[in-house]
Structures are given as structure tokens and as C-alpha cells.
Amino acid sequence: MNQEHLDHIFGALSDATRRGMLEQLSRGEANVSALASSHEMSQPAISKHLKVLERAGLIRKQRRGREQFVRVNPEAAKAAQAWIDHYSRYWAEQFDAVDAYLQSKKETKQ
Amino acid sequence: MNQEHLDHIFGALSDATRRGMLEQLSRGEANVSALASSHEMSQPAISKHLKVLERAGLIRKQRRGREQFVRVNPEAAKAAQAWIDHYSRYWAEQFDAVDAYLQSKKETKQ
DNA sequence: TTGATTCATAACTAAATGGTTATATGTCAA
DNA sequence: TTGACATATAACCATTTAGTTATGAATCAA
């Protein structure tokens, strides 16, 4: 997993409109117009958000006639998930260690 | 969990320098100078990144004399983790559904 | 074939981001 | 008490982001 890809994934997820789009897509594929009408925003703005999601690999587009159907790519988010899962283990340990230290200090005082 | 907080958390994680800082902090607390010297960047730049991480709740700062010690807050990342975990379940289902549909179409043709 | 629909793209704007250098503030140590 | 150290803040800059409107291109349907 390279850093730039993680930048793109986390960056794509950092916007509520895009998260809303992913939520909508979790209930089924949608075309661009459907996405635009669900989110109070112009169609070009939605197309831009789709580019961001696509760059992150979070969605795939498929043209059928004049419509563009969009669906999620469940693989992509796994990189982000893995990153958080990996480090949260160490963060918890780190936190517990500080906790234990403060505890021992307190006990010494008594 | 509110949307703005998720914006901040994912936004904070979308930068490789900040992820590097969190990685460093997973090995123990550090002061600002230590963080600055690990990442080839000026001290003010690091202070800015710390503000972003702090706004997201991912770190806590504690002043001891003239030094500012920084440690991770393992709770904050859980919101991001929960969001991804929640939706990735639906995304996988969605993906499988499309897959099954394409499969059935293929079988009908035969 | 014409008109409507679907989407992409261009051009623009305001605000946010990520960096810099310079400087101010507070603390420690000699 | 003075000088060095640790950090914060201000001012600035370039780039990116998130939106807009206007328009172009492809496709469908009457």
C-alpha cells in the first residue's frame, strides 16, 4: 500500500457529501442524476466528487448508453481499514502504558 | 457521531506526514522538537499538523515546563473505524449482489 | 431529424491547506 | 539576570478544494 493511495482514500472520505454518496451506493448502484438529486448540489459538483471517489478507487463507473452507472468497490476501503486497525492496536497499548505509569506513580506516593 | 467530526478525523488521516507522526507516537509520547526532527519539516509546520490532529481528537498535548508532550488518543480513531466497518459490510453485499446478477444473466444465456 | 436527456468539461471564485521565514513568549540553567 | 531552548503565532505564498454557471457532446425517442 503506498502513501499516495492512502492520502486519496482518507481524503475522499473526509467530505460528508462523498460519504453520503457512498452511503447511497451501499443501497444499490445509481446514475449521476440520481446521485445529484439526492444531494442538494449541481450535477457538475457531483461529477467532481465522483472523480475524487474514483481516484481513491472507492467507486467504479460503467457507461450504459447515455447514463453512467456508479457502484462501490469494496476492496478500496480495506487499505484505510487496515491502516487504522494496525495502528489502533499500538495506540491502545501506548495509552495503557501511560495509564499504568501514572497509576504506579500514584501508588508510590501513598 | 457527527459529520464534522468525521470530516476532521478522515481529513487528519489524509496526509502522509500526519500519519507518520501518529506512527511515531504509537511508539511513545514525543515533544514537538522530536516530531519535527523525525519529519523533514520546519517546527511551525509540525505545530500546524499537531493542530489538525488535535482538532480531530487524535492526539492530546500536555505541557511540562517549556516542552509540550504529545500522545495519541486511541478513542478518536474509533469513529472512523466504525464508519468504515459499518459500510464495508453493505458494500460487500452490494458487490456480491451485482456479481450474482451478472452470473445469473450469464447462465440464462447458456 | 430534431429536441430532450445525461453527463463531462471549461472557466471562474472563495476558502482551505501546507509550507515557508520572522518573531514573540515562556521557561530553564548558568 | 542573561542567554539558550521549546514552542506558538503572524504574515505570507502557492496549490488544492469545493462550489458555481455556461456550454459541449453523445444518445435516445418521437
Side-chain angles (χ1 to χ4, degrees), chain B residues 18 41-42 44-45 48-49 65-66:
Chain B
R18 285 191 293 264
M41 201 165 290
S42 67
K48 277 196 186 181
H49 282 305
R66 56 185 161 179

Side-chain angles (χ1 to χ4, degrees), chain A residues 15 18 41-42 44-45 48-49 55 65-66:
Chain A
D15 181 277
R18 286 191 293 265
M41 203 166 289
S42 67
K48 277 197 187 180
H49 282 304
R55 185 180 61 172
R66 58 185 159 178

Side-chain angles (χ1 to χ4, degrees), chain A residues 8-40:
Chain A
H8 290 334
I9 296 174
F10 283 124
L13 295 177
S14 75
D15 181 277
T17 299
R18 286 191 293 265
R19 287 195 307 277
M21 291 167 71
L22 290 173
E23 176 173 356
Q24 177 173 355
L25 292 171
S26 75
R27 296 190 297 272
E29 68 173 8
N31 63 18
V32 178
S33 306
L35 288 163
S37 65
S38 311
H39 302 88
E40 287 174 0

Side-chain angles (χ1 to χ4, degrees), chain B residues 34-54:
Chain B
L35 288 163
S37 65
S38 312
H39 301 89
E40 287 175 359
M41 201 165 290
S42 67
Q43 169 262 312
I46 294 293
S47 287
K48 277 196 186 181
H49 282 305
L50 285 174
K51 280 230 166 122
V52 174
L53 289 168
E54 198 175 21

Side-chain angles (χ1 to χ4, degrees), chain B residues 68-106:
Chain B
Q68 187 89 254
F69 285 90
V70 181
R71 56 193 180 82
V72 286
N73 171 27
E75 282 305 307
K78 285 187 183 169
Q81 202 171 20
W83 192 90
I84 297 180
D85 284 348
H86 177 77
Y87 286 107
S88 55
R89 217 170 53 95
Y90 294 107
W91 296 335
E93 280 173 19
Q94 185 54 33
F95 195 74
D96 293 345
V98 171
D99 226 46
Y101 169 72
L102 293 176
Q103 191 61 32
S104 75
K105 231 174 108 179
K106 199 169 150 193

Side-chain angles (χ1 to χ4, degrees), chain A residues 81-100:
Chain A
Q81 204 172 20
W83 192 90
I84 297 180
D85 284 348
H86 177 76
Y87 286 106
S88 54
R89 219 170 50 96
Y90 294 106
W91 295 335
E93 279 174 20
Q94 186 54 32
F95 195 74
D96 293 344
V98 171
D99 228 44

